[in-house]
Amino acid sequence: MKLVFSDLKEKVVERIIQTYQSKLIFLSNDLTKKIEGKDIPKLDEIERDNQLLRFKVLLLNTLMDLLTFIEKHFSKYFAASEIIPSAYFYNSKAFVSQQIEDFQQVCNSKNIDKSFVTVLMMPLENFLIAPKGTTFKELIYCKSYLREIKNTLNTEVSGIKMERELILSLIYINFNTYPFYNYVAKKITVHYQSKPTIQKQLGCLQLFKKLLNQCQVKPDFEYIPRAESIKDQLIKWITEEIEYFTKQKQIEIHFDFNDNNADRQISKSDKIHCELSVAQLAYSMKLLVKSKLINASSTEDLLDFITKNFSTVNQKQISKASLKNKFYMAENSTIEHVQEVMNDLISNAEVDKTKL
């Protein structure tokens, strides 16, 4: 501590810290060879009369603690390209293995999409199968990843909100892998394609681009070295989607709804205009029936009422057969969009409460 906060030049401090690091690694590896067996036993598993083995394990643990301390607090001077000592490597694997089991249980209790959990567990599972010779850089990323995910999972939110928080955490620690990029891109695609008009789809894409631009990314930190950051990858993809719409559909991007002729025509209609798609409207009505907010004499009567009295941007005349099919069989993307609408309703209600 005195060394780091001394008046010595940075390069001198760095050289001394890295010397300590290399000596600790050498001592750890040498001591590990003197302990019989591949796995390092725990102190409470060693018999009391086996004092020599107890001393070796205690000394090894002390060396590991000191190495961890330097790695954590003096990462600026730490040689991340150094290979992890074998004892430290196996202990880290055991710790990560336990964390995977804990995380999977928490993810199940938080109702997180299983396909996203698979993506979430990928760097941890990859570390478990990593060969001997793994560097500190890979271990440091794995530890930071564990810490970030653990902090996010320990919050009160669940479901879609928890998934959003986890996605933001992975962007922050620059989890720049194709499976994660692909998952987020698909989520954004489903979300913007659920919008009823091209203008609203473009508005949705612009909003996602804005949110991504505002995302914080940990400096000089990445899962795949020298690869483009996940934030930049997603922004580039959204920009390409927007350019596709503007060029192929030949429309002007604007958000002045007063000039929208289609909206004006619908406003003159006797029907109730709904901003949801037919599938989303059907599922919303189904929820209202299930929660007993609506008491319909029969499902057929309810469907008749909806087709006669409701319209959407894409469907001025709703087909009863189509509505009925979507009423009984809702897709996950439809359910997620309706959940978001319900969350907006709750947020608006909370705002109204504060005004009272």
Side-chain angles (χ1 to χ4, degrees), residues 236-295:
K236 187 181 289 185
W237 169 73
I238 290 175
T239 303
E240 288 172 355
E241 288 289 291
I242 293 170
E243 287 175 356
Y244 168 80
F245 276 116
T246 55
K247 290 177 182 178
Q248 299 299 320
K249 306 295 182 182
Q250 296 181 341
I251 61 171
E252 181 183 353
I253 305 175
H254 65 87
F255 306 103
D256 185 0
F257 294 101
N258 293 326
D259 293 335
N260 191 320
N261 293 329
D263 283 353
R264 284 208 301 271
Q265 290 171 5
I266 289 167
S267 66
K268 294 176 183 177
S269 169
D270 292 332
K271 290 190 175 185
I272 300 170
H273 172 60
C274 182
E275 291 292 327
L276 301 174
S277 67
V278 174
Q280 292 159 3
L281 174 61
Y283 184 67
S284 299
M285 289 296 181
K286 182 179 180 179
L287 287 179
L288 291 174
V289 171
K290 287 179 75 173
S291 61
K292 297 184 179 178
L293 287 173
I294 289 179
N295 274 323

Coordinates of all heavy atoms in Angstrom, one line a residue, residues 236-295:
K236 N -24.9 -0.3 -34.6 CA -24.6 -0.4 -36.1 C -25.8 -1.2 -36.7 O -26.2 -0.8 -37.8 CB -23.3 -1.1 -36.3 CG -22.9 -1.2 -37.7 CD -21.6 -1.9 -37.9 CE -20.4 -1.1 -37.4 NZ -19.1 -1.8 -37.6
W237 N -26.2 -2.3 -36.1 CA -27.3 -3.1 -36.6 C -28.6 -2.3 -36.7 O -29.3 -2.3 -37.7 CB -27.5 -4.3 -35.8 CG -28.8 -5.1 -36.2 CD1 -29.0 -5.8 -37.3 CD2 -30.0 -5.1 -35.4 NE1 -30.3 -6.3 -37.3 CE2 -30.9 -5.9 -36.1 CE3 -30.4 -4.5 -34.2 CZ2 -32.2 -6.1 -35.7 CZ3 -31.7 -4.7 -33.8 CH2 -32.6 -5.5 -34.5
I238 N -29.0 -1.5 -35.6 CA -30.2 -0.7 -35.6 C -30.1 0.4 -36.7 O -31.1 0.6 -37.4 CB -30.4 -0.1 -34.2 CG1 -30.8 -1.2 -33.2 CG2 -31.5 1.0 -34.3 CD1 -30.9 -0.7 -31.8
T239 N -28.9 1.0 -36.9 CA -28.8 2.0 -37.9 C -29.0 1.4 -39.3 O -29.7 2.0 -40.1 CB -27.3 2.6 -37.8 OG1 -27.1 3.1 -36.5 CG2 -27.1 3.7 -38.9
E240 N -28.6 0.2 -39.5 CA -28.8 -0.5 -40.8 C -30.3 -0.8 -41.0 O -30.8 -0.7 -42.1 CB -28.0 -1.8 -40.9 CG -26.5 -1.6 -41.0 CD -25.7 -2.9 -40.9 OE1 -26.3 -3.9 -40.6 OE2 -24.5 -2.8 -41.1
E241 N -31.0 -1.2 -39.9 CA -32.4 -1.4 -40.0 C -33.2 -0.1 -40.4 O -34.1 -0.1 -41.2 CB -33.0 -1.9 -38.7 CG -32.5 -3.3 -38.3 CD -33.2 -4.4 -39.2 OE1 -34.4 -4.6 -39.0 OE2 -32.5 -5.0 -40.0
I242 N -32.8 1.0 -39.8 CA -33.4 2.3 -40.1 C -33.1 2.7 -41.5 O -34.0 3.1 -42.2 CB -32.9 3.4 -39.1 CG1 -33.4 3.1 -37.7 CG2 -33.4 4.8 -39.5 CD1 -32.8 3.9 -36.6
E243 N -31.9 2.5 -42.0 CA -31.6 2.8 -43.4 C -32.3 2.0 -44.3 O -32.7 2.5 -45.4 CB -30.0 2.7 -43.6 CG -29.2 3.7 -42.9 CD -27.7 3.5 -43.0 OE1 -27.3 2.4 -43.5 OE2 -26.9 4.3 -42.5
Y244 N -32.6 0.7 -44.0 CA -33.3 -0.2 -44.9 C -34.7 0.4 -45.1 O -35.2 0.4 -46.2 CB -33.4 -1.6 -44.2 CG -34.4 -2.5 -44.9 CD1 -34.1 -3.1 -46.1 CD2 -35.7 -2.7 -44.4 CE1 -35.0 -3.9 -46.8 CE2 -36.6 -3.5 -45.0 CZ -36.3 -4.1 -46.2 OH -37.2 -4.9 -46.8
F245 N -35.4 0.8 -44.0 CA -36.7 1.3 -44.1 C -36.8 2.6 -44.9 O -37.6 2.8 -45.8 CB -37.3 1.6 -42.7 CG -37.9 0.4 -42.0 CD1 -37.4 -0.1 -40.8 CD2 -39.0 -0.2 -42.5 CE1 -37.9 -1.1 -40.2 CE2 -39.6 -1.3 -41.9 CZ -39.0 -1.8 -40.7
T246 N -35.8 3.5 -44.7 CA -35.8 4.8 -45.4 C -35.6 4.6 -46.9 O -36.1 5.4 -47.7 CB -34.8 5.7 -44.7 OG1 -33.5 5.1 -44.8 CG2 -35.2 6.1 -43.3
K247 N -34.7 3.7 -47.2 CA -34.4 3.5 -48.6 C -35.4 2.6 -49.4 O -35.8 2.9 -50.5 CB -33.0 2.9 -48.8 CG -31.9 3.9 -48.3 CD -30.5 3.2 -48.4 CE -29.4 4.2 -48.0 NZ -28.1 3.6 -48.0
Q248 N -35.7 1.4 -48.8 CA -36.5 0.5 -49.5 C -38.0 0.9 -49.4 O -38.7 0.7 -50.4 CB -36.4 -0.9 -48.8 CG -35.0 -1.5 -48.9 CD -34.5 -1.7 -50.3 OE1 -35.2 -2.1 -51.2 NE2 -33.2 -1.4 -50.6
K249 N -38.5 1.4 -48.4 CA -39.9 1.8 -48.3 C -40.1 3.3 -48.7 O -41.2 3.7 -48.9 CB -40.4 1.7 -46.8 CG -40.2 0.3 -46.2 CD -41.0 -0.8 -46.9 CE -40.8 -2.1 -46.3 NZ -41.5 -3.2 -47.0
Q250 N -38.9 4.0 -48.9 CA -39.0 5.4 -49.4 C -40.0 6.2 -48.6 O -40.9 6.8 -49.1 CB -39.4 5.4 -50.9 CG -38.3 4.7 -51.7 CD -38.7 4.8 -53.2 OE1 -39.8 5.0 -53.5 NE2 -37.7 4.6 -54.0
I251 N -39.7 6.3 -47.3 CA -40.6 7.1 -46.4 C -39.7 8.1 -45.7 O -38.5 7.9 -45.5 CB -41.4 6.2 -45.4 CG1 -40.4 5.5 -44.5 CG2 -42.3 5.3 -46.1 CD1 -41.1 4.8 -43.4
E252 N -40.3 9.1 -45.2 CA -39.7 10.2 -44.4 C -39.9 9.9 -42.9 O -41.0 9.6 -42.5 CB -40.2 11.5 -44.8 CG -39.5 12.7 -44.0 CD -40.2 14.0 -44.3 OE1 -41.0 14.0 -45.2 OE2 -39.8 15.0 -43.6
I253 N -38.8 9.9 -42.2 CA -38.9 9.6 -40.7 C -39.4 10.9 -40.0 O -38.7 11.9 -40.0 CB -37.6 9.2 -40.1 CG1 -37.0 8.0 -40.9 CG2 -37.7 8.9 -38.7 CD1 -35.7 7.5 -40.4
H254 N -40.5 10.9 -39.5 CA -41.0 12.0 -38.7 C -42.1 11.5 -37.7 O -42.6 10.4 -37.8 CB -41.6 13.1 -39.5 CG -42.8 12.7 -40.3 ND1 -44.1 12.8 -39.7 CD2 -43.0 12.2 -41.5 CE1 -45.0 12.4 -40.6 NE2 -44.3 12.0 -41.7
F255 N -42.4 12.2 -36.7 CA -43.3 11.8 -35.6 C -44.4 12.8 -35.4 O -44.9 12.9 -34.3 CB -42.4 11.6 -34.3 CG -41.3 10.7 -34.5 CD1 -40.0 11.2 -34.6 CD2 -41.5 9.3 -34.7 CE1 -38.9 10.3 -34.9 CE2 -40.4 8.5 -34.9 CZ -39.1 9.0 -35.0
D256 N -44.8 13.5 -36.4 CA -45.9 14.5 -36.3 C -47.2 13.7 -36.5 O -47.6 13.6 -37.7 CB -45.7 15.6 -37.3 CG -46.7 16.7 -37.1 OD1 -47.6 16.5 -36.2 OD2 -46.7 17.7 -37.8
F257 N -47.8 13.3 -35.5 CA -49.0 12.4 -35.7 C -50.2 13.3 -36.1 O -51.2 12.7 -36.6 CB -49.3 11.7 -34.3 CG -48.3 10.7 -34.0 CD1 -47.3 11.0 -33.0 CD2 -48.3 9.5 -34.6 CE1 -46.4 10.1 -32.7 CE2 -47.3 8.6 -34.3 CZ -46.3 8.9 -33.3
N258 N -50.2 14.6 -36.0 CA -51.3 15.4 -36.4 C -51.4 15.4 -37.9 O -52.5 15.7 -38.5 CB -51.1 16.9 -36.0 CG -51.2 17.0 -34.5 OD1 -52.0 16.3 -33.9 ND2 -50.4 17.9 -33.9
D259 N -50.3 15.1 -38.6 CA -50.3 15.1 -40.1 C -50.5 13.7 -40.6 O -50.4 13.4 -41.8 CB -48.9 15.6 -40.7 CG -48.8 17.1 -40.4 OD1 -49.8 17.8 -40.2 OD2 -47.6 17.5 -40.3
N260 N -50.8 12.8 -39.8 CA -51.0 11.4 -40.2 C -52.4 11.2 -40.7 O -53.4 11.1 -39.9 CB -50.7 10.4 -39.0 CG -50.6 9.0 -39.4 OD1 -51.4 8.5 -40.2 ND2 -49.7 8.3 -38.8
N261 N -52.6 11.1 -42.0 CA -54.0 11.0 -42.6 C -54.7 9.7 -42.1 O -55.9 9.8 -41.9 CB -53.9 10.9 -44.1 CG -53.4 12.3 -44.6 OD1 -53.6 13.3 -44.0 ND2 -52.6 12.3 -45.7
A262 N -54.0 8.6 -41.9 CA -54.6 7.4 -41.5 C -55.2 7.6 -40.1 O -56.3 7.1 -39.9 CB -53.6 6.3 -41.5
D263 N -54.5 8.2 -39.3 CA -55.0 8.4 -37.9 C -56.3 9.3 -37.9 O -57.2 9.1 -37.2 CB -53.9 9.1 -37.0 CG -52.9 8.1 -36.6 OD1 -53.1 6.9 -36.9 OD2 -51.9 8.5 -36.0
R264 N -56.3 10.3 -38.8 CA -57.4 11.2 -38.9 C -58.7 10.5 -39.4 O -59.8 10.7 -38.9 CB -57.1 12.4 -39.8 CG -56.2 13.5 -39.1 CD -56.5 14.8 -39.7 NE -56.2 14.8 -41.2 CZ -55.1 15.1 -41.7 NH1 -54.0 15.4 -41.0 NH2 -54.9 15.1 -43.0
Q265 N -58.5 9.6 -40.3 CA -59.6 8.8 -40.9 C -60.2 7.9 -39.8 O -61.4 7.8 -39.7 CB -59.1 8.0 -42.1 CG -58.8 8.9 -43.3 CD -58.2 8.1 -44.4 OE1 -58.1 6.8 -44.3 NE2 -57.8 8.7 -45.5
I266 N -59.3 7.3 -39.0 CA -59.8 6.4 -38.0 C -60.5 7.1 -36.9 O -61.5 6.7 -36.3 CB -58.6 5.6 -37.4 CG1 -58.1 4.6 -38.5 CG2 -59.0 4.8 -36.2 CD1 -56.8 4.0 -38.2
S267 N -60.0 8.4 -36.6 CA -60.7 9.1 -35.5 C -62.1 9.5 -35.9 O -62.9 9.7 -35.0 CB -59.9 10.4 -35.2 OG -59.9 11.2 -36.4
K268 N -62.4 9.5 -37.2 CA -63.8 9.8 -37.6 C -64.7 8.6 -37.6 O -65.9 8.7 -37.7 CB -63.8 10.4 -39.0 CG -63.0 11.8 -39.1 CD -63.0 12.2 -40.5 CE -62.2 13.6 -40.6 NZ -62.0 14.0 -42.0
S269 N -64.1 7.5 -37.4 CA -64.9 6.2 -37.4 C -65.7 6.1 -36.1 O -65.3 6.7 -35.1 CB -63.9 5.0 -37.5 OG -64.6 3.8 -37.3
D270 N -66.8 5.3 -36.2 CA -67.6 5.1 -35.0 C -66.9 4.0 -34.1 O -67.3 3.9 -32.9 CB -69.0 4.7 -35.4 CG -69.8 5.8 -36.0 OD1 -69.4 6.9 -35.7 OD2 -70.6 5.5 -36.9
K271 N -66.0 3.3 -34.6 CA -65.3 2.2 -33.8 C -64.3 2.8 -32.9 O -63.8 3.9 -33.0 CB -64.6 1.2 -34.8 CG -65.6 0.4 -35.6 CD -64.9 -0.7 -36.3 CE -65.9 -1.7 -37.0 NZ -65.3 -2.8 -37.6
I272 N -64.0 2.0 -31.8 CA -62.9 2.4 -30.9 C -61.6 2.0 -31.5 O -61.4 0.8 -31.8 CB -63.1 1.6 -29.5 CG1 -64.5 2.0 -28.9 CG2 -62.0 2.0 -28.6 CD1 -64.9 1.2 -27.7
H273 N -60.8 3.0 -31.7 CA -59.4 2.7 -32.3 C -58.5 2.2 -31.2 O -58.4 2.8 -30.1 CB -58.9 3.9 -33.0 CG -57.5 3.7 -33.5 ND1 -57.1 2.7 -34.3 CD2 -56.3 4.3 -33.1 CE1 -55.8 2.8 -34.6 NE2 -55.3 3.8 -33.8
C274 N -57.8 1.1 -31.5 CA -56.8 0.5 -30.6 C -55.4 0.5 -31.2 O -55.3 0.1 -32.3 CB -57.3 -0.9 -30.2 SG -56.2 -1.7 -29.0
E275 N -54.4 0.9 -30.4 CA -53.1 1.0 -30.9 C -52.4 -0.4 -30.9 O -51.3 -0.6 -31.4 CB -52.2 1.9 -30.0 CG -52.6 3.4 -30.2 CD -52.3 3.9 -31.6 OE1 -51.3 3.5 -32.1 OE2 -53.0 4.8 -32.1
L276 N -53.0 -1.4 -30.3 CA -52.5 -2.8 -30.3 C -52.8 -3.5 -31.6 O -53.6 -3.1 -32.4 CB -53.1 -3.6 -29.1 CG -53.0 -3.0 -27.7 CD1 -53.8 -3.8 -26.7 CD2 -51.5 -3.0 -27.3
S277 N -52.0 -4.5 -31.8 CA -52.3 -5.4 -33.0 C -53.5 -6.2 -32.6 O -54.0 -6.3 -31.5 CB -51.1 -6.3 -33.3 OG -50.9 -7.2 -32.3
V278 N -54.0 -7.0 -33.6 CA -55.2 -7.8 -33.3 C -54.9 -8.9 -32.3 O -55.7 -9.2 -31.4 CB -55.7 -8.5 -34.6 CG1 -56.8 -9.5 -34.3 CG2 -56.2 -7.5 -35.6
A279 N -53.7 -9.5 -32.4 CA -53.3 -10.5 -31.5 C -53.1 -9.9 -30.0 O -53.6 -10.6 -29.1 CB -51.9 -11.1 -31.9
Q280 N -52.6 -8.7 -29.9 CA -52.4 -8.1 -28.6 C -53.7 -7.7 -28.0 O -53.9 -7.8 -26.8 CB -51.5 -6.9 -28.8 CG -50.0 -7.3 -29.1 CD -49.3 -6.1 -29.8 OE1 -49.8 -5.0 -29.9 NE2 -48.0 -6.4 -30.2
L281 N -54.6 -7.2 -28.9 CA -56.0 -6.8 -28.4 C -56.7 -8.1 -27.9 O -57.3 -8.0 -26.8 CB -56.8 -6.2 -29.6 CG -58.3 -5.9 -29.3 CD1 -58.4 -4.9 -28.2 CD2 -58.9 -5.4 -30.6
A282 N -56.6 -9.2 -28.6 CA -57.3 -10.4 -28.2 C -56.7 -10.9 -26.9 O -57.5 -11.3 -26.0 CB -57.0 -11.5 -29.3
Y283 N -55.4 -10.9 -26.7 CA -54.8 -11.4 -25.5 C -55.2 -10.4 -24.3 O -55.4 -10.9 -23.2 CB -53.3 -11.5 -25.6 CG -52.7 -12.1 -24.3 CD1 -52.9 -13.4 -24.0 CD2 -51.9 -11.3 -23.5 CE1 -52.4 -13.9 -22.8 CE2 -51.3 -11.8 -22.4 CZ -51.6 -13.1 -22.0 OH -51.0 -13.6 -20.9
S284 N -55.2 -9.1 -24.6 CA -55.6 -8.1 -23.5 C -57.0 -8.4 -23.0 O -57.3 -8.4 -21.8 CB -55.5 -6.7 -24.1 OG -54.2 -6.4 -24.4
M285 N -57.9 -8.7 -24.0 CA -59.3 -9.0 -23.6 C -59.4 -10.3 -22.8 O -60.2 -10.4 -21.9 CB -60.2 -9.0 -24.9 CG -60.4 -7.7 -25.5 SD -61.4 -6.6 -24.4 CE -61.5 -5.1 -25.4
K286 N -58.6 -11.2 -23.2 CA -58.6 -12.5 -22.5 C -58.2 -12.3 -21.0 O -58.7 -12.9 -20.1 CB -57.6 -13.5 -23.2 CG -57.6 -14.9 -22.6 CD -56.6 -15.8 -23.4 CE -56.5 -17.2 -22.8 NZ -55.6 -18.1 -23.5
L287 N -57.1 -11.5 -20.8 CA -56.7 -11.2 -19.5 C -57.8 -10.5 -18.6 O -58.0 -10.8 -17.5 CB -55.4 -10.3 -19.5 CG -54.1 -11.0 -19.9 CD1 -53.0 -9.9 -19.9 CD2 -53.8 -12.1 -19.0
L288 N -58.5 -9.6 -19.3 CA -59.6 -8.9 -18.6 C -60.7 -9.8 -18.2 O -61.3 -9.7 -17.1 CB -60.2 -7.8 -19.5 CG -59.3 -6.6 -19.8 CD1 -59.9 -5.7 -20.8 CD2 -58.9 -5.8 -18.5
V289 N -61.0 -10.8 -19.0 CA -62.0 -11.9 -18.7 C -61.5 -12.7 -17.6 O -62.2 -13.0 -16.6 CB -62.3 -12.7 -19.9 CG1 -63.2 -13.9 -19.6 CG2 -63.0 -11.9 -21.0
K290 N -60.2 -13.2 -17.6 CA -59.6 -14.1 -16.6 C -59.6 -13.4 -15.3 O -59.7 -14.0 -14.2 CB -58.2 -14.5 -17.0 CG -58.2 -15.5 -18.2 CD -56.8 -15.9 -18.6 CE -56.2 -16.9 -17.5 NZ -54.9 -17.4 -18.0
S291 N -59.3 -12.1 -15.3 CA -59.3 -11.3 -14.0 C -60.6 -10.9 -13.5 O -60.7 -10.2 -12.5 CB -58.3 -10.1 -14.2 OG -58.8 -9.2 -15.1
K292 N -61.7 -11.2 -14.3 CA -63.1 -10.9 -14.0 C -63.4 -9.4 -14.0 O -64.4 -9.0 -13.4 CB -63.5 -11.5 -12.7 CG -63.4 -13.1 -12.7 CD -63.9 -13.7 -11.5 CE -63.8 -15.2 -11.6 NZ -64.3 -15.9 -10.3
L293 N -62.5 -8.6 -14.7 CA -62.9 -7.2 -14.9 C -64.0 -7.0 -15.9 O -64.7 -6.0 -16.0 CB -61.6 -6.4 -15.3 CG -60.6 -6.2 -14.3 CD1 -59.3 -5.6 -14.8 CD2 -61.1 -5.3 -13.2
I294 N -64.1 -8.1 -16.8 CA -65.1 -8.1 -17.8 C -65.9 -9.4 -17.6 O -65.3 -10.5 -17.5 CB -64.6 -8.1 -19.3 CG1 -64.0 -6.7 -19.6 CG2 -65.7 -8.4 -20.3 CD1 -63.4 -6.6 -21.0
N295 N -67.2 -9.3 -17.5 CA -68.1 -10.4 -17.4 C -68.9 -10.6 -18.7 O -69.9 -9.9 -18.9 CB -69.1 -10.3 -16.2 CG -68.4 -10.8 -14.9 OD1 -67.7 -11.7 -14.9 ND2 -68.7 -10.1 -13.8

